[in-house]
Amino acid sequence: MLIFFRFSLLFGFLALLLGSACDTPSSPETEEPTVDLAAKIDSLLAKMTLAEKVQMIHASSSFTSGGVERLGIPELIMSDGPHGVRHEHGRDWTKDENVRDSSTYLPVGTALAATWNPALGYRFGQVLGSEARYRGKDVILGPGFNIIRSPLNGRNFEYLTEDPYLNSRMVVGYIQGVQEYDVAACAKHYIANTLEYEREQVDVRMDDRTLREIYLPAFEAAVKEGEALTIMAAYNKFRGTYCAHSAYLLDTILKKELGFSGAVISDWNAVKSTMESVPVGIDIEMGTDLTMFETGFDYGAFHMGDTVVTLVENGTFTEAMIDQKVRRILRVLFEIGKMDGERVEGQYNVAAHQQTARDIADEAIVLLKNDGLLPLSTDGVQRVAVVGANANHQHAGAGGSSQVKAFYEVTPLAGLQNLLGDGVEIDYSPGYEIGRQKTATPAMIRAAVKSVSNADVAIYVGGWFHGYSDEWNDNAYDAESVDKPSMHLPFGQDQLIQAVLAANPNTIIVMMGGGPIDMTAWEPQTKALVQAWYPGMEGGNALADILFGKVNPSGKLPMTFPVRLADAPTQVLAQYPDENLIIDHTEGVFVGYRYYDTYEVAPAFAFGHGLSYTDFAYDNLSVSKEKDVVTVRLQVTNTGEVAGAEVVQCYVRDAEAKVKRPVQELKAFEKIALAAGATAEVTIELGPDAFSYYDQGWMLEPGQFTIAVGSSSRDIRLTEELTWE
């Protein structure tokens, strides 16, 4: 079968040339002469009263922080979300009616990360920035990139990966793309907000090494490379102190060590105390519950509200503390052009944005398993059986704060209908219902079995979902505020899948959702298995094209899929959390593949795994060192008959160290597109940081290292030794 490969541009600098693939912001024709920004800010501060300063450091409505109308200082207007601009609502929380607030529904964070393509992260950010700017937003509350520590976190789908390096590479372009449109990105959640259960009470405990090697690197990249203008402080405590109250996190690390000069915004209701928040580096308090439920939306009653004026006047706090916060807020307002100058223009509901959503979905979908069943052929196909409620379920409008009112959402069923046309009969059988205490009934299972038994092609589409309609926070699965109860599929899907496979062993299994599931009941009998994530508004079309070979899959897992929950490091090495709501990260740096590979625990599917409809050969690895730069070169050849793309992953192994290190760590990757039979030379450069570990400071011990390159953490193709002297 001829497979047409549609592959997005792979390198960050080429993203600037996309033109038809992503709209380019229109810059002002003339700009005012450059004036020292600090002087402008100081001039405004000198004109402000204490009360005016204080009203800038807390919310003025559900999604705005205060301005000073007298001095022409506007409110900051914020919006969720990480993969689409959220619907409009009033200054409280009531949804606006009859307004233009649909958005491009992009694939979720785990799907973006599964592309392993930083250029798509940039285009992703451009879409968000453009649509946020069109809708009058100043801050988009993303990207979210908390480390995926446990399979149970209900919000994993919003985040990116289990690996700090891969997270770092994906967030930089995202932030730059957003901020290109004079909209501030908000990197979140700072820091270690890795579960939803009692997220406002849990106390995260970890050592400095774990913090520095695993949880901090992506925030460092967001600040130093992405130049994020805002950061969101997380809900949880860190070493006994709320993140929004932590001088260590906000001042010592973020502002002093990393050099962050923007504004820190609290998560909604993450500030808990006036006395603990005002003296530290939290700059804007948002969403405090006491105003909504006790004072009738009196935003002056915030912890960082009117009471602060009194506390400054009586000498409890200094006015300089408030000035520091206001100065950072003003800097953000100036940087996005809201104080002076003309801002770039955004666009709304344009084909280029939809194309970006499609391109990301094309590269995000992961082919986990294929015993020759895929790609499908349309030749001679007259009847296709599609089973599974997720085949016809739209996911955009639920899941919590990341919900999106999509312009449209192509479901898997609709995508198959679009591809196959009217000449092919599609027999759809839901097999189960999505809803409270719903399950696959015997009658529904019998109907599904009958459907697949009589079909030329059988496709099952199941997996997770975002929740029970408007009740997303009650027994939900992939949703804010609630974690998964287990890794087992809801609604009796295991029984349904077993029955379908027994009736038609050639049934293709497609899983949707934000992360791994327990497949032990049926995976051994499966010939073809696809991970589709929540692939956005064009996801159904992308899935159909991959199943029928119009697009060659190139997605790779951004997280390890364990065989079962009991294999996860959070279950084996740590408590999650204990009865005192303490999350003790006793697994240390052994998160994700670092644990599975080091402790020799076999995964169901490894970090970085993803199949193609072609094959790639790795050859001629060479490693050289000049001063502090290690250059890795190799050749990759597409040995198959169709075009495809491979993600070359470079891992570093330390032969011996003073501390226990993971057996290998991802330190570089490159995604390359190759025509059938083509060979490309891949060149990767590694600096000292690729060989260092943290032990009361960053350490690089001389000695032997191994450079390992391959197609996943468990599919290493070539290795070469290196001596660091």
Side-chain angles (χ1 to χ4, degrees):
M1 174 182 293
L2 180 62
I3 301 179
F4 297 98
F5 183 79
R6 181 166 68 252
F7 190 75
S8 302
L9 296 177
L10 298 174
F11 304 101
F13 71 89
L14 288 179
L16 299 174
L17 306 177
L18 288 169
S20 62
C22 194
D23 53 288
T24 302
S26 52
S27 300
E29 293 183 3
T30 59
E31 296 182 0
E32 294 182 6
T34 300
V35 177
D36 181 71
L37 181 56
K40 286 185 176 182
I41 291 172
D42 287 342
S43 175
L44 277 171
L45 273 171
K47 298 173 184 176
M48 295 173 68
T49 67
L50 175 60
E52 288 172 335
K53 293 174 183 178
V54 170
Q55 75 186 32
M56 288 189 66
I57 66 173
H58 63 81
S60 54
S61 75
S62 56
F63 274 80
T64 61
S65 62
V68 182
E69 185 176 359
R70 179 180 69 87
L71 297 175
I73 302 173
E75 296 177 318
L76 266 178
I77 303 171
M78 309 175 197
S79 177
D80 289 312
H83 47 262
V85 186
R86 192 174 178 175
H87 61 259
E88 296 294 331
H89 48 75
R91 293 183 68 87
D92 50 26
W93 293 87
T94 304
K95 288 184 179 180
D96 290 347
E97 301 294 337
N98 302 315
V99 295
R100 295 185 69 198
D101 62 348
S102 297
S103 294
T104 296
Y105 172 38
L106 293 158
V108 297
T110 48
L112 174 62
T115 69
W116 290 61
N117 186 343
L120 286 177
Y122 172 73
R123 290 177 58 192
F124 190 108
Q126 281 187 310
V127 172
L128 284 178
S130 179
E131 297 199 355
R133 180 80 289 281
Y134 182 92
R135 298 253 306 267
K137 311 302 181 185
D138 303 316
V139 181
I140 191 78
L141 301 174
F145 49 91
N146 290 116
I147 290 292
I148 296 177
R149 179 175 178 249
S150 167
L152 298 182
N153 183 13
R155 214 167 175 181
N156 279 344
F157 72 94
E158 287 187 53
Y159 303 144
L160 297 174
T161 89
E162 68 188 21
D163 180 72
Y165 180 79
L166 181 55
N167 266 11
S168 298
R169 294 310 91 210
M170 298 306 298
V171 302
V172 169
Y174 180 128
I175 291 166
Q176 291 172 338
V178 167
Q179 295 187 168
E180 192 174 288
Y181 283 86
D182 289 337
V183 172
C186 186
K188 64 182 189 182
H189 303 89
Y190 184 73
I191 199 166
N193 186 179
T194 58
L195 85 172
E196 292 300 286
Y197 174 72
E198 296 288 356
R199 63 185 179 178
E200 295 186 37
Q201 302 298 326
V202 293
D203 184 4
V204 173
R205 308 285 178 89
M206 68 174 66
D207 58 33
D208 281 344
R209 182 185 173 204
T210 303
L211 173 66
R212 301 285 181 158
E213 291 191 22
I214 303 297
Y215 294 91
L216 196 58
F219 282 98
E220 182 173 2
V223 171
K224 292 184 175 180
E225 298 178 61
E227 299 183 339
L229 290 171
T230 67
I231 301 283
M232 183 182 289
Y235 280 120
N236 53 281
K237 298 175 185 176
F238 184 84
R239 298 177 183 169
T241 302
Y242 281 107
C243 290
H245 302 166
S246 174
Y248 176 64
L249 292 177
L250 301 179
D251 298 318
T252 301
I253 294 181
L254 183 61
K255 294 185 176 181
K256 292 179 182 176
E257 291 185 22
L258 302 187
F260 177 64
S261 58
V264 178
I265 301 169
S266 79
D267 207 337
W268 271 234
N269 198 41
V271 171
K272 305 294 185 182
S273 163
T274 301
M275 300 306 294
E276 294 183 60
S277 60
V278 172
V280 303
I282 190 76
D283 299 310
I284 301 175
E285 176 191 4
M286 295 299 296
T288 293
D289 283 347
L290 64 90
T291 63
M292 292 189 285
F293 301 119
E294 297 179 13
T295 63
F297 297 96
D298 177 6
Y299 291 94
F302 268 41
H303 295 294
M304 288 168 52
D306 295 343
T307 189
V308 176
V309 176
T310 301
L311 292 172
V312 171
E313 290 174 342
N314 70 19
T316 302
F317 299 137
T318 66
E319 189 163 354
M321 293 177 180
I322 314 306
D323 287 350
Q324 289 177 1
K325 301 176 190 296
V326 175
R327 183 173 281 108
R328 290 174 176 274
I329 297 166
L330 287 172
R331 176 180 178 264
V332 173
L333 286 165
F334 275 107
E335 291 284 359
I336 63 174
K338 197 164 185 180
M339 291 297 298
D340 54 10
E342 184 180 347
R343 300 172 78 180
V344 300
E345 296 179 1
Q347 291 185 289
Y348 180 81
N349 193 16
V350 294
H353 293 179
Q354 296 158 15
Q355 186 62 51
T356 292
R358 177 64 174 274
D359 290 345
I360 295 169
D362 282 347
E363 294 192 36
I365 294 170
V366 181
L367 180 58
L368 293 176
K369 184 177 180 180
N370 186 22
D371 290 347
L373 192 58
L374 293 174
L376 297 167
S377 171
T378 57
D379 294 344
V381 173
Q382 296 182 333
R383 185 175 177 278
V384 174
V386 178
V387 175
N390 266 0
N392 200 35
H393 185 73
Q394 295 186 342
H395 296 275
S401 62
S402 66
Q403 62 188 276
V404 176
K405 185 194 291 185
F407 289 127
Y408 61 84
E409 182 177 351
V410 180
T411 65
L413 181 61
L416 290 166
Q417 290 170 331
N418 291 341
L419 185 146
L420 296 172
D422 296 334
V424 176
E425 176 191 355
I426 296 181
D427 182 13
Y428 171 59
S429 179
Y432 62 92
E433 289 185 82
I434 293 176
R436 185 183 298 277
Q437 298 180 349
K438 298 292 186 180
T439 190
T441 65
M444 299 177 82
I445 293 174
R446 284 196 298 271
V449 165
K450 180 180 179 181
S451 177
V452 300
S453 298
N454 300 322
D456 300 315
V457 171
I459 302 168
Y460 178 89
V461 185
W464 302 116
F465 69 109
H466 276 317
Y468 301 127
S469 186
D470 292 333
E471 300 169 1
W472 56 265
N473 62 343
D474 189 359
N475 296 320
Y477 290 89
D478 279 327
E480 184 184 6
S481 86
V482 175
D483 291 323
K484 297 182 179 72
S486 74
M487 276 177 51
H488 291 286
L489 286 170
F491 312 132
Q493 289 184 73
D494 285 337
Q495 181 185 1
L496 173 62
I497 294 171
Q498 288 174 300
V500 166
L501 286 172
N504 187 338
N506 290 329
T507 301
I508 298 155
I509 306 297
V510 177
M511 288 289 113
M512 301 185 75
I517 60 173
D518 187 322
M519 309 178 194
T520 53
W522 45 264
E523 186 273 330
Q525 290 76 49
T526 304
K527 294 183 179 180
L529 179 60
V530 175
Q531 176 67 29
W533 315 106
Y534 298 109
M537 65 196 304
E538 282 286 333
N541 288 330
L543 177 63
D545 275 358
I546 283 175
L547 294 180
F548 280 88
K550 307 300 182 184
V551 170
N552 194 345
S554 65
K556 299 278 190 175
L557 288 183
M559 67 194 77
T560 306
F561 277 22
V563 174
R564 55 186 61 83
L565 180 62
D567 293 339
T570 47
Q571 311 304 121
V572 178
L573 300 180
Q575 294 175 317
Y576 190 77
D578 70 9
E579 62 274 9
N580 296 314
L581 297 182
I582 293 175
I583 305 178
D584 196 339
H585 286 231
T586 48
E587 79 277 12
V589 300
F590 296 96
V591 177
Y593 71 90
R594 286 169 168 79
Y595 166 74
Y596 295 97
D597 293 352
T598 303
Y599 287 82
E600 298 182 343
V601 178
F605 298 100
F607 175 79
H609 170 74
L611 302 177
S612 172
Y613 295 150
T614 189
D615 296 302
F616 300 94
Y618 288 53
D619 297 292
N620 301 324
L621 175 65
S622 68
V623 177
S624 61
K625 180 176 178 291
E626 184 174 351
K627 295 183 180 180
D628 284 345
V629 177
V630 173
T631 302
V632 180
R633 291 186 174 89
L634 67 149
Q635 291 181 323
V636 179
T637 301
N638 180 347
T639 60
E641 299 180 355
V642 295
E646 172 69 330
V647 178
V648 178
Q649 301 164 41
C650 181
Y651 296 84
V652 172
R653 301 171 180 173
D654 191 350
E656 184 177 0
K658 186 173 68 174
V659 300
K660 183 176 181 179
R661 302 192 68 179
V663 69
Q664 60 185 10
E665 296 177 285
L666 180 73
K667 295 300 180 181
F669 63 89
E670 186 169 334
K671 192 167 191 176
I672 54 171
L674 291 171
T679 298
E681 183 170 285
V682 177
T683 301
I684 292 169
E685 290 189 348
L686 302 174
D689 58 325
F691 302 89
S692 302
Y693 64 86
Y694 192 88
D695 183 22
Q696 298 181 335
W698 287 101
M699 308 288 293
L700 202 173
E701 291 181 306
Q704 293 296 118
F705 293 87
T706 300
I707 306 299
V709 295
S711 191
S712 81
S713 74
R714 291 295 182 103
D715 184 10
I716 299 300
R717 307 290 181 85
L718 300 170
T719 61
E720 186 73 26
E721 301 304 309
L722 168 72
T723 300
W724 193 289
E725 298 176 346

